[in-house]
């Protein structure tokens, strides 16, 4: 079978690999579509801290069942999406139902080979029927679930004024699910095109161009109060640190981003606000289910989010093109 392999930073190839043998309790899935994530671009650029090369990337996956275990509710040909977090089921986090924070987690395409290939065998509990959602749309469920999880972590309601910093795909997903809860949502970014898309396609209520005057703009928008919830999706330490200054008293700060550096903040300012700082890692099964519900309800502009498509076999050239900011990629999908 064909697979797209990142042999080393900056070097991709298409190679023939043996078809996987389905292990007991696993489902063999014929991959149909793979969403290309920021993680994949970081792997391609050599910037991912938890990876060994060579690696088959890909964790935003949809496909059809090829083989399923006896007694499974899945049948050959069934359309499915894959939850790419392989948890151990035994650590303290798993015992608490926090499989997304498993101490021994393996993420497809990062800690082990992923789905930029024709066939993949994964545990049956990680394979979920798509229902009536088209398979190309189903390849976007995972990245959307990241935003849904962050919104859930922030306990966002219709009473909240929310600021999402960073209008990349993850930030966009946070906007979508905060709006689905009825919140008033402002988006902040350094790219005017992303701000325009968030306003026009995602129904963001206000926008702030991120520059030296951002703090003053936040104060103007909120009457000096700050935001009830701030969600960071910038992926950079400096804007995360600035985000502490946008918090209202009693606010929640949700970090969808993870960075390698330490982040610092003023304890007196944070303390006097009695603010809450929340990490948001991966997603949980109910977040995936929420994405499916919102897609079915027509609240996710899947066609607009999927800006670029191409064939798996063209992956080496496409990655070079899609990695350029001027390519304007929101979500690219490889068709297998």
């Amino acid at each position: 079978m064909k697979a797209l392999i990142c042999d080393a930073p900056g070097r991709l190839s298409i190679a023939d690999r043996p078809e996987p043998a389905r292990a007991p309790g696993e489902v063999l899935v014929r991959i149909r579509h793979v969403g290309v994530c920021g993680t994949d671009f970081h792997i391609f650029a050599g910037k991912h801290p938890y990876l060994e090369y060579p690696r088959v990337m890909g964790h935003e996956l949809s496909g059809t069942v090829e083989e399923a275990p006896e007694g499974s509710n899945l049948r050959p040909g069934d359309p499915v999406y894959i939850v790419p977090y392989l948890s151990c089921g035994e650590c303290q986090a798993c015992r608490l139902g926090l499989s997304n924070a498993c101490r021994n987690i393996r993420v497809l395409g990062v800690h082990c080979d992923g789905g930029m290939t024709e066939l993949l065998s994964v545990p049956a509990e990680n394979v979920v029927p798509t229902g009536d959602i088209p398979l190309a749309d189903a390849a976007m469920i995972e990245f959307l679930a990241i935003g849904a999880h962050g919104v859930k972590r922030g306990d966002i309601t219709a009473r909240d004024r929310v600021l999402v910093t960073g209008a990349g795909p993850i930030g966009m997903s946070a906007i979508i699910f905060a709006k689905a809860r009825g919140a008033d949502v402002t988006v902040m970014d350094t790219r005017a095109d992303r701000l325009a898309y968030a306003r026009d396609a995602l129904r963001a209520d206000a926008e702030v161009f991120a520059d030296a005057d951002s703090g003053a703009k936040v104060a103007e928008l909120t009457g000096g109060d700050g935001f009830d919830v701030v969600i960071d999706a910038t992926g950079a330490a400096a804007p995360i640190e600035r985000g502490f200054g946008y918090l209202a008293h009693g606010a929640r700060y949700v970090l969808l981003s993870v960075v390698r550096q330490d982040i610092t903040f003023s304890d007196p300012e944070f303390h006097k606000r009695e603010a809450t700082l929340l990490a948001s890692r991966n997603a949980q099964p109910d977040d995936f289910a929420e994405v499916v519900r919102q897609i079915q309800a027509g609240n996710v502009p899947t066609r607009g989010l999927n800006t670029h498509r191409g064939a798996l076999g063209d992956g080496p050239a496409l990655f070079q093109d899609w990695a350029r900011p001027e390519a304007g990629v929101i979500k690219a999908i490889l068709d297998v």
Side-chain angles (χ1 to χ4, degrees):
M1 66 176 184
K2 301 294 185 185
L4 176 60
I5 301 173
C6 190
D7 300 293
R11 194 169 81 240
L12 298 172
S13 64
I14 297 292
D16 281 308
R17 291 191 136 196
E19 293 186 1
R22 185 180 66 81
E26 290 188 344
V27 175
L28 185 64
V29 178
R30 184 167 293 279
I31 302 298
R32 302 295 186 182
H33 304 283
V34 185
V36 180
C37 175
T39 296
D40 301 316
F41 287 119
H42 287 153
I43 293 169
F44 177 58
K47 296 179 180 178
H48 200 289
Y50 307 121
L51 189 108
E52 294 182 3
Y53 298 90
R55 176 64 72 228
V56 177
M57 300 178 293
H59 60 275
E60 300 178 3
L61 309 171
S62 66
T64 53
V65 173
E66 195 80 359
E67 298 176 11
E70 187 176 347
S72 169
N73 64 340
L74 295 170
R75 297 290 181 269
D78 284 353
V80 294
Y81 68 86
I82 294 175
V83 178
Y85 320 128
L86 308 182
S87 55
C88 71
E90 298 177 355
C91 70
Q92 181 192 29
C94 287
R95 294 197 302 271
L96 291 172
L98 303 175
S99 57
N100 61 308
C102 170
R103 292 185 63 179
N104 306 302
I105 198 166
R106 293 183 302 136
V107 179
L108 294 173
V110 179
H111 305 98
C112 56
D113 283 344
M116 290 188 183
T117 188
E118 295 181 73
L119 291 164
L120 190 67
S121 188
V122 291
E125 59 267 25
N126 291 75
V127 181
V128 186
T130 61
D132 58 358
I133 295 176
L135 278 174
D137 292 353
M140 294 188 280
I141 290 175
E142 191 272 344
F143 97 84
L144 291 162
I146 300 293
H149 185 67
V151 166
K152 181 180 73 178
R153 290 283 286 155
D155 195 23
I156 289 172
T157 72
R159 299 187 302 272
D160 291 318
R161 290 187 297 185
V162 178
L163 173 66
V164 176
T165 57
I170 299 300
M172 289 182 184
S173 68
I175 294 168
I176 289 167
F177 292 98
K179 289 296 297 179
R181 290 185 175 215
D184 183 281
V185 181
T186 296
V187 58
M188 180 185 294
D189 201 89
T190 58
R191 287 179 53 173
D193 60 328
R194 291 286 177 88
L195 292 174
Y197 185 83
R199 179 191 65 233
D200 298 339
L202 306 182
R203 301 181 296 115
D205 299 282
E207 59 193 73
V208 175
F209 189 82
D211 58 18
D213 296 326
S214 297
K217 294 173 185 173
V218 166
E220 181 182 350
L221 278 170
T222 63
D225 289 336
F227 286 92
D228 303 303
V229 183
V230 176
I231 298 178
D232 177 84
T234 63
I240 290 175
E241 292 178 347
R242 287 194 292 271
F244 285 91
Y246 307 145
L247 298 172
H249 285 242
R252 289 93 73 195
Y253 193 9
V254 181
L255 300 186
L256 282 177
S257 296
V258 58
V259 296
R260 298 187 70 176
Q261 309 98 305
D262 291 342
I263 57 172
T264 61
F265 56 91
S266 167
D267 181 61
E269 290 295 324
F270 187 73
H271 199 87
K272 78 181 184 183
R273 287 168 168 78
E274 199 175 46
T276 302
L277 181 61
L278 296 155
S280 183
R281 184 185 185 192
N282 300 329
Q284 296 172 324
D286 63 316
D287 303 311
F288 284 82
E290 172 67 3
V291 172
V292 170
R293 283 193 295 271
Q294 295 300 336
I295 291 176
Q296 291 172 331
N299 293 329
V300 182
T302 51
R303 291 295 182 266
L305 292 169
N306 176 202
T307 54
H308 292 65
R309 291 278 287 274
L312 181 74
D314 296 327
L318 292 172
F319 257 80
Q320 296 282 356
D321 180 49
W322 291 345
R324 299 178 303 110
E326 56 268 30
V329 172
I330 295 177
K331 176 56 59 178
I333 292 179
L334 290 171
D335 303 321
V336 185

